[in-house]
C-alpha cells in the first residue's frame, strides 16, 4: 500500500513539474513499466487528481489543481514537442521568419518545418502572413509562450530553452 502511494506521488509530482508531458516521456523519466504506469495514471484520473488531454498525436497529462488555461495547455502540448519548441524559440527571438530561414535555424528539413508550422497556425499559436509566394510567421502572444518556458524551464531538459531564458530575462528585466 505504501509503495503504491509513493509511486502515485512520484507520478503526480512529475506531471505537476512538467505539465503536458506524454505517456512515453513519463515512462522514461520515472523508469516505470508500461502496465504499472497505466494503472496508476488511471487511478489518479479516476480520483480527479490529473486529467488526460489528447492533442491529436499524444495523450498529455496535467494536474487538476494547476491553473493553466485551455490556451496554456494547448501551448504546453506544442512546447513539449522538440521541433515545435525550437521553431517557437526561433520565432520569439526573430519574428517574421519564413520556412527556409526556420529550416536553416532549427536544423530540420523544410517539409518537417512546414508540417509543424501548419499545426501551430491551425492551433492559433502563430500566424502566417503571405507576401507574394513567401509566407512569414510570427507568434500571436509571445509573452505567454515566454512565461510558460520560464515557469517550466526545468521540465524541458533543453539547452536552447536555457539560452532563450537567459536572453529573455536580460532583454526584459523585472
Amino acid at each position: 500500500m505504501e509503495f503504491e502511494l509513493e509511486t502515485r506521488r512520484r507520478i503526480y509530482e512529475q506531471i505537476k513539474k512538467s505539465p503536458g508531458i506524454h505517456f512515453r516521456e513519463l515512462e522514461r523519466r520515472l523508469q516505470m513499466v508500461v502496465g504499472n504506469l497505466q494503472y496508476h495514471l488511471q487511478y489518479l484520473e479516476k480520483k480527479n487528481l490529473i486529467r488526460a488531454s489528447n492533442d491529436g498525436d499524444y495523450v498529455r497529462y496535467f494536474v487538476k489543481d494547476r491553473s493553466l488555461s485551455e490556451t496554456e495547455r494547448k501551448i504546453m502540448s506544442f512546447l513539449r514537442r522538440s521541433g515545435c519548441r525550437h521553431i517557437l524559440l526561433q520565432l520569439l527571438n526573430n519574428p517574421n521568419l519564413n520556412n527556409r530561414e526556420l529550416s536553416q535555424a532549427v536544423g530540420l528539413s523544410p517539409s518537417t518545418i512546414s508540417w509543424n508550422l501548419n499545426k501551430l497556425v491551425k492551433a492559433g499559436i502563430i500566424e502566417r502572413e503571405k507576401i507574394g509566394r513567401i509566407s512569414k510567421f510570427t507568434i500571436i502572444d509571445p509573452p505567454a509562450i515566454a512565461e510558460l518556458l520560464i515557469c517550466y524551464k526545468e521540465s524541458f531538459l533543453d539547452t536552447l530553452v536555457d539560452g532563450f531564458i537567459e536572453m529573455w530575462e536580460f532583454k526584459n528585466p523585472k
Side-chain angles (χ1 to χ4, degrees), residues 140-158:
I140 293 172
D141 189 359
I145 292 174
E147 185 178 323
L148 289 169
L149 284 166
I150 291 166
C151 186
Y152 298 105
K153 65 184 174 190
E154 290 87 17
S155 73
F156 290 110
L157 310 173
D158 190 335

Side-chain angles (χ1 to χ4, degrees), residues 75-95 97-99 101-109 112-113 116-117 120 126 137 139 145 149 156-164:
I75 292 169
M76 285 302 292
S77 292
F78 283 100
L79 288 174
R80 293 279 167 222
R81 300 169 186 224
S82 175
C84 288
R85 181 172 58 252
H86 292 173
I87 289 169
L88 291 169
L89 286 167
Q90 282 300 318
L91 290 174
L92 281 168
N93 290 322
N94 307 297
L97 293 177
N98 64 36
N99 185 312
E101 294 165 332
L102 281 165
S103 176
Q104 291 170 346
V106 174
L108 295 172
S109 72
T112 301
I113 294 292
N116 283 308
L117 288 171
L120 288 163
I126 64 172
F137 298 91
I139 295 174
I145 292 174
L149 284 166
F156 290 110
L157 310 173
D158 190 335
T159 55
L160 285 176
V161 172
D162 296 338
F164 164 77

Side-chain angles (χ1 to χ4, degrees), residues 4-5 8-9 11 28 63 65 87 94 124 131-132 137:
E4 282 191 354
L5 291 174
R8 288 185 190 131
R9 186 194 58 73
I11 294 168
R28 279 189 291 275
V63 297
D65 73 344
I87 289 169
N94 307 297
I131 303 166
F137 298 91

Side-chain angles (χ1 to χ4, degrees), residues 2-129:
E2 190 173 315
F3 175 74
E4 282 191 354
L5 291 174
E6 176 61 23
T7 301
R8 288 185 190 131
R9 186 194 58 73
R10 282 181 50 230
I11 294 168
Y12 180 86
E13 289 301 321
Q14 187 62 239
I15 294 170
K16 185 175 181 179
K17 187 172 85 174
S18 305
I21 193 166
H22 64 84
F23 182 84
R24 291 292 182 198
E25 187 63 23
L26 263 173
E27 178 189 16
R28 279 189 291 275
R29 289 188 188 182
L30 297 172
Q31 299 178 343
M32 291 182 69
V33 294
V34 171
N36 197 18
L37 181 58
Q38 286 173 327
Y39 169 78
H40 290 296
L41 286 169
Q42 288 170 354
Y43 179 88
L44 291 169
E45 250 188 298
K46 192 170 87 177
K47 294 296 182 184
N48 232 8
L49 295 169
I50 64 169
R51 70 180 284 212
S53 175
N54 190 328
D55 71 5
D57 295 320
Y58 297 97
V59 174
R60 301 201 176 268
Y61 296 94
F62 300 89
V63 297
K64 285 277 188 134
D65 73 344
R66 192 52 106 198
S67 59
L68 289 176
S69 70
E70 190 62 37
T71 301
E72 289 170 324
R73 284 193 293 274
K74 182 172 33 171
I75 292 169
M76 285 302 292
S77 292
F78 283 100
L79 288 174
R80 293 279 167 222
R81 300 169 186 224
S82 175
C84 288
R85 181 172 58 252
H86 292 173
I87 289 169
L88 291 169
L89 286 167
Q90 282 300 318
L91 290 174
L92 281 168
N93 290 322
N94 307 297
N96 292 313
L97 293 177
N98 64 36
N99 185 312
R100 183 181 52 77
E101 294 165 332
L102 281 165
S103 176
Q104 291 170 346
V106 174
L108 295 172
S109 72
S111 61
T112 301
I113 294 292
S114 181
W115 185 83
N116 283 308
L117 288 171
N118 287 333
K119 286 208 168 262
L120 288 163
V121 167
K122 186 177 178 185
I125 295 171
I126 64 172
E127 57 189 359
R128 175 191 330 244
E129 180 187 357

